Amino acid sequence: MKRILIFGLSVLILITTAEAGRKKKKTGKITDGIYVDADYGFSMNLVGSWKGKTQSSKKRPHIRLVCIQKEYGIPSHYQEVPDQTQMPKFVIFSDTTTMGVRPYVDSILSKTYKSKQKKEIMSEFEILSVRDLVPAGMATLRVGDKRGVIWKGKAVYIREIQSSASSAGGRRVNGTYGGAIFAFKKDNLIVVAGMICEYDFYDAVMQETTAMMTSLTFE
């Protein structure tokens, strides 16, 4: 009986260790500012003060990389409470699809279309959950032999914030979020990126995120 118990505990430990190992598997690796995806084989350069974090979530396995801009501008209405600023964020999603790149982005933006891929994208692409989002158009994006699309949009917001970090009083501020959806496809592999930032610094953020996305290289 004792041997059976010891054997059972040993098997349980092995299973637990194996599960822990699987949970720790990352979506890729960042070396010298270059992200290389472990499963889909594409790579992308990180530029400026952008820092990327690889993912390991089983719930959102196709969210490959989450990038945050560490050095960013603060709008005038947040000068007293800079932590209220929307930190520029750039999220990479990848999976396979038979859709063309433009129809795929259209499906993401659709109010009626539903899919597991879209649900996963919506969980991390914050610009898509902003109220009163106004599209600014979609255009073709070409880099060498790569052909993709870029969609842009913005949304005016009104927020109640504290007057200062030490004050209990609040005040209303008006601002605008800017965002973009990038997408490139090779064969059946699609790579989609979503960006959001304060619109005051939209042009500068767009320049850097476009540089990152257009550095995309397929294996």
Side-chain angles (χ1 to χ4, degrees), residues 134 156 191:
V134 178
V156 175
V191 178

Side-chain angles (χ1 to χ4, degrees), residues 185-206:
K185 188 182 180 192
K186 180 182 180 183
D187 300 326
N188 283 341
L189 175 64
I190 193 164
V191 178
V192 187
M195 181 274 285
I196 187 172
C197 68
E198 297 283 351
Y199 201 77
D200 304 54
F201 312 100
Y202 183 74
D203 290 341
V205 174
M206 273 297 298

